[in-house]
Amino acid sequence: MLFLGAFIASIGLEIFLVPNKIIDGGIVGLSIMAGAITKQEYGIFLVLFNLPFLYLGYKQIGKDFALATSVAIVFLSVWTAYFKPIPQLTDDLFLAAIFGGIIDGIGVGMIMRAGGSLDGTEIVAIIADKKSVFSVGEVVMFINLFIFTAAGFLFEWEQAMYSVVAYYVISQTIDVVLKGMDESYSVQVVTQVPDEIGEALMGELGRGVTYIYGEGGYTKEKKKVLCAVVTRLEVQRVKEIVLEYDESAFVTINLVNDVVGGRFKKSGH
């Protein structure tokens, strides 16, 4: 996964982004700029710049993360040098930002699924999150603000703005790779017929159902609250099933970041 992820990420960088002077955020972006200034392979700077962050990652997150990240960085450095002679596919900045961002995001997402990373700034953000009032996302955004501003001075402001577009596409693609297209949703149903609706959800959708015993705040009536986790494609059918049995039912649906264990997978899967 690390080998293939680095291979795919290098295609996005070398064939689309870097030839058009569009950068990624974080350490990769700094390495690209350092390579442009010194006329050296930016893969060298990718390794050098990440060394202190690898140590921090080892101390803060663990040796498995540090090892996976080291392997991914070395692979990416090798692949970017390999793809260097291949000509760019387009000089259209918008197309380069979109397609380069998608391809790079797929590769980075695969690396992250394998337990590694290419960006040492995320490690700094995790540490800052523990020691300050700022969140991980805010710290990363603050760091990248300086990086993209520096890119505007080094290259051109148009390239810097397209770098922001590419970074957004990369981050969205990473989310798709990490979470998959089949997003999960938590459903809670307050109804007069929880058993009937629960049986229908288990029978028709093959989903596990849990009952939580509660009490009405106004009526003080004891209630069984039905809870289940379904995919994005099943949300509409859940609504239909609930309304078939109880048109006055109260339903809340929330996006779930991750699901571990339980009977979330359908029978036979």
Side-chain angles (χ1 to χ4, degrees):
M1 185 79 79
L2 294 170
F3 181 84
L4 185 58
F7 176 82
I8 294 173
S10 64
I11 294 175
L13 289 170
E14 281 300 324
I15 298 181
F16 290 96
L17 299 181
V18 176
N20 289 289
K21 298 180 180 179
I22 298 174
I23 68 170
D24 189 3
I27 298 301
V28 176
L30 288 175
S31 300
I32 294 172
M33 289 191 291
I37 294 171
T38 62
K39 308 302 181 184
Q40 301 293 324
E41 294 287 344
Y42 68 86
I44 299 173
F45 296 100
L46 185 64
V47 175
L48 293 177
F49 289 167
N50 269 300
L51 287 177
F53 300 112
L54 287 172
Y55 176 75
L56 287 174
Y58 173 77
K59 301 296 287 186
Q60 295 289 327
I61 303 176
K63 64 179 182 180
D64 289 341
F65 170 80
L67 179 60
T69 299
S70 300
V71 171
I73 291 170
V74 171
F75 279 151
L76 182 63
S77 300
V78 172
W79 282 122
T80 52
Y82 176 80
F83 282 115
K84 188 70 69 176
I86 299 178
Q88 65 191 76
L89 291 184
T90 180
D91 56 4
D92 185 300
L93 297 182
F94 180 76
L95 292 178
I98 298 299
F99 284 93
I102 292 173
I103 297 171
D104 187 23
I106 291 173
V108 175
M110 292 175 66
I111 290 171
M112 293 178 70
R113 288 197 70 161
S117 176
L118 292 175
D119 190 0
T121 57
E122 292 180 355
I123 301 171
V124 175
I126 292 171
I127 297 173
D129 176 55
K130 296 178 181 178
K131 300 181 181 296
S132 72
V133 297
F134 299 105
S135 67
V136 173
E138 289 171 339
V139 175
V140 170
M141 181 179 66
F142 186 72
I143 293 173
N144 283 323
L145 177 63
F146 280 98
I147 293 174
F148 291 132
T149 301
F153 285 106
L154 179 61
F155 302 126
E156 295 180 11
W157 290 107
E158 188 176 23
Q159 268 83 358
M161 289 186 284
Y162 275 112
S163 295
V164 176
V165 173
Y167 179 75
Y168 176 78
V169 173
I170 291 169
S171 63
Q172 294 300 307
T173 306
I174 290 173
D175 285 344
V176 171
V177 174
L178 292 178
K179 300 177 183 178
M181 294 298 291
D182 229 9
E183 291 181 322
S184 303
Y185 288 82
S186 171
V187 178
Q188 289 191 335
V189 182
V190 180
T191 174
Q192 298 297 325
V193 287
D195 295 321
E196 290 84 344
I197 294 176
E199 290 294 330
L201 291 177
M202 289 188 288
E204 184 170 334
L205 300 181
R207 297 301 182 192
V209 171
T210 299
Y211 296 107
I212 299 176
Y213 291 87
E215 180 180 295
Y218 179 75
T219 64
K220 305 302 180 183
E221 179 184 353
K222 302 297 182 183
K223 293 180 179 293
K224 287 171 68 174
V225 181
L226 183 152
C227 301
V229 176
V230 299
T231 66
R232 173 176 56 84
L233 300 177
E234 294 169 328
V235 168
Q236 184 58 37
R237 183 55 188 149
V238 168
K239 296 177 184 178
E240 294 172 354
I241 290 174
V242 172
L243 294 178
E244 283 176 10
Y245 286 88
D246 183 2
E247 292 185 353
S248 63
F250 178 70
V251 184
T252 59
I253 301 172
N254 299 288
L255 180 64
V256 176
N257 288 328
D258 199 2
V259 179
V260 179
R263 288 186 55 205
F264 180 64
K265 293 296 183 181
K266 288 187 175 181
S267 303
H269 286 241

